[in-house]
Amino acid sequence: MIYESDIKNIPEQYRQLFASMQASIIHLTTVNNKLRSMLFGPSSEKHLVLPHIYPVGTLFNEPESILDSEKNEPEKTPSEGTPSDKNPHNDKPKKTSTRSPDSGGRNTFPEDLPRIEIICDLSEAEKICPQDGTVLVEIGRDVVEKIDVKPAEVFVNKYVYIKYGKSGGETPPVKASAVPSVIPGASCDSGMLSFILEQKYLNAMPLYRLEENFSQMNVDISRTSMARWAIQTADFLGDLAFKIKNYILSQKALHADETTIQVLHEPGKKAQTNSYMWMICSPENTHPAVWFQYESGRAGVYAKSLLEDFSGLVHTDGYDGYNKAISENKATRLGCWAHVRRRFVNAKKAGIKGSGANKYKTLAEKFLELIQSLFKNEAEFKAGNFEKSEEHLVIYRKTHSKPIIDQIKTLLDDARIRIPTKNDLGDALTYLHNEWPYLIRFLDHGAASLSNNRIENHVRPFAIGRKNWLFADTTKGADASAILYTVIATAKANGLSVRAYLKKIFSELPALYACQKSKIDFTPFLPWNCTDCLKPQQK
């Protein structure tokens, strides 16, 4: 490859041709490196350090290698049906031991898991000593615990309403009022609804697979019925979901993002045209909450509907569709350093190796080093012995992060003069330059975050689910999905067992709707207030 320093040795009439060839070669090489990285390289932006993979070289044959490494280790627990033979003639009962087979004597299973006791006893004949014929007595017990699972059980709740009346038949018979339910008249109970919604909206299980699973259990529940139940349940949960949105909009800051969703039957649009799921979530140091909102497009008018009259800090990526709504609300837009870092990671991966040709890669690494220092400062503040107020965070950032910001700006201004824009590094520099006013605002706001990763953590599960179910059929279905994702994703973010939380609100809210004439107070049903539904490890 010919570099800039060699062009002076080329005849003048060929220099322009060789310079063009060189630029094409560099561009095609960077594209090739990028594609190879996408196909064969790690997708994470982090440097992979895997000290826990031991012995070395066991990443792809882990079961066999671990088994081989344990062949020479002493048995740590008694095998099934083989009681310990230590002190066999000690008449003092031994203390019962509880252990899992591979735990080295430690009880590794959570204590709150139900235990089913299976007694493994000798026959009456085996309880007779073969030497003198005396009856053997119990001197202790060895307990071996093995984890097991019972697949989902389908059963029918049979509600029997007893009628009363006079024998003459003149008075109409009376009976107990119908038990309030989420979907009056439907043939599914709260447990079935909770299970279906958990599988689809938390575990990304398409309805046709659920239909097949029920069929394997000899139960006929069609995907059409499940889709209808989901839409009706979303109507029931709408008020609760809007309370979650209002909570997000009441904070000093929020995070916003949007992602595509395909709706097959949307008026005025082809089935192949993308629609969008817009999202906002609460910031750090507040209750985790996320709101999903389906819209037919990506224009700024939809951002206005999403943000309503919010006038605080809005974390976004580089999409300008939020600008008009932010400006009209007199809000403050903040940029995302994680998006900047991602572009320089791509530039580094596409860098050309070789003497005289790796300057782009080296420059990308320098930017990454400085950006990583910003994130390191944030982590040190959180972990340090500092007063964790917003005012102290601003002071800390201006002391520790402002000098790094100045270095990045100096490096950016110099690089933009020298680096062509038509490559990955040029793209990263352009993005950094365009977003610069928004990227540096975190220095002045203690409620601001360095990145928009908080909302992206909610986008990612939705995107994974989208790969499974591919599309929504109608706009009504997309709106219903937005409501259900709001409630379920917020419950998950608060460490709740989603199924337990759904069963709670499906059991308690219908009775309130049935008996309360005034407006219902949803505060006790907001996910962060339902501590009785926390997963065991969160309690």
Side-chain angles (χ1 to χ4, degrees), residues 319-390:
Y319 177 52
D320 290 335
Y322 294 93
N323 287 352
K324 184 176 180 181
I326 291 173
S327 175
E328 290 178 355
N329 291 350
K330 294 183 170 54
T332 302
R333 175 179 165 182
L334 291 97
C336 175
W337 280 99
H339 276 77
V340 178
R341 180 175 60 188
R342 198 167 301 151
R343 279 171 163 76
F344 281 105
V345 167
N346 291 336
K348 178 184 174 182
K349 290 179 180 179
I352 304 173
K353 297 181 180 179
S355 175
N358 63 351
K359 60 181 181 180
Y360 291 174
K361 181 177 179 181
T362 302
L363 186 57
E365 289 174 340
K366 181 61 178 176
F367 274 103
L368 287 172
E369 179 184 341
L370 292 171
I371 293 169
Q372 195 58 34
S373 297
L374 295 176
F375 284 94
K376 183 179 178 182
N377 285 346
E378 297 293 304
E380 288 179 349
F381 179 83
K382 293 175 184 177
N385 187 21
F386 307 107
E387 182 179 339
K388 299 301 189 292
S389 67
E390 294 180 5

Side-chain angles (χ1 to χ4, degrees), residues 6-203:
D6 301 319
I7 293 180
K8 62 183 179 181
N9 299 323
I10 298 174
E12 185 174 355
Q13 63 268 33
Y14 298 115
R15 288 183 183 179
Q16 184 175 359
L17 174 62
F18 276 108
S20 175
M21 292 171 58
Q22 178 194 9
S24 297
I25 291 171
I26 292 176
H27 172 69
L28 292 174
T29 304
T30 56
V31 170
N32 181 63
N33 289 345
K34 183 178 180 180
L35 292 175
R36 286 173 61 86
S37 176
M38 291 170 62
L39 282 173
F40 307 114
S43 58
S44 173
E45 301 166 22
K46 299 179 180 178
H47 297 288
L48 293 180
V49 180
L50 303 174
H52 56 280
I53 298 179
Y54 182 83
V56 176
T58 61
L59 181 59
F60 295 106
N61 64 334
E62 184 180 22
E64 296 83 358
S65 62
I66 290 178
L67 185 63
D68 291 339
S69 68
E70 292 184 349
K71 281 183 178 178
N72 297 324
E73 293 184 6
E75 188 69 31
K76 295 181 180 179
T77 61
S79 60
E80 183 179 7
T82 306
S84 173
D85 57 359
K86 292 182 180 180
N87 301 323
H89 301 296
N90 187 351
D91 292 336
K92 184 177 180 180
K94 294 181 180 179
K95 181 180 180 181
T96 300
S97 62
T98 304
R99 59 182 83 176
S100 60
D102 55 355
S103 64
R106 296 187 302 273
N107 183 358
T108 60
F109 304 134
E111 290 294 338
D112 59 343
L113 284 180
R115 260 68 175 176
I116 299 175
E117 191 173 79
I118 302 172
I119 301 298
C120 304
D121 202 358
L122 299 175
S123 67
E124 293 301 322
E126 292 172 317
K127 295 178 184 178
I128 305 298
C129 178
Q131 297 175 348
D132 56 14
T134 58
V135 178
L136 301 178
V137 297
E138 182 178 332
I139 59 173
R141 295 190 178 195
D142 287 320
V143 178
V144 177
E145 292 197 336
K146 297 185 178 183
I147 195 75
D148 204 351
V149 63
K150 181 194 293 186
E153 277 187 297
V154 179
F155 55 92
V156 176
N157 289 327
K158 188 175 183 179
Y159 293 88
V160 180
Y161 295 91
I162 302 175
K163 296 190 293 184
Y164 293 87
K166 290 183 178 181
S167 57
E170 297 177 357
T171 305
V174 293
K175 64 178 180 179
S177 301
V179 176
S181 63
V182 176
I183 309 174
S187 58
C188 61
D189 221 335
S190 59
M192 176 59 76
L193 273 180
S194 302
F195 177 78
I196 292 172
L197 298 180
E198 177 194 45
Q199 292 301 307
K200 176 168 171 57
Y201 294 98
L202 180 65
N203 299 331

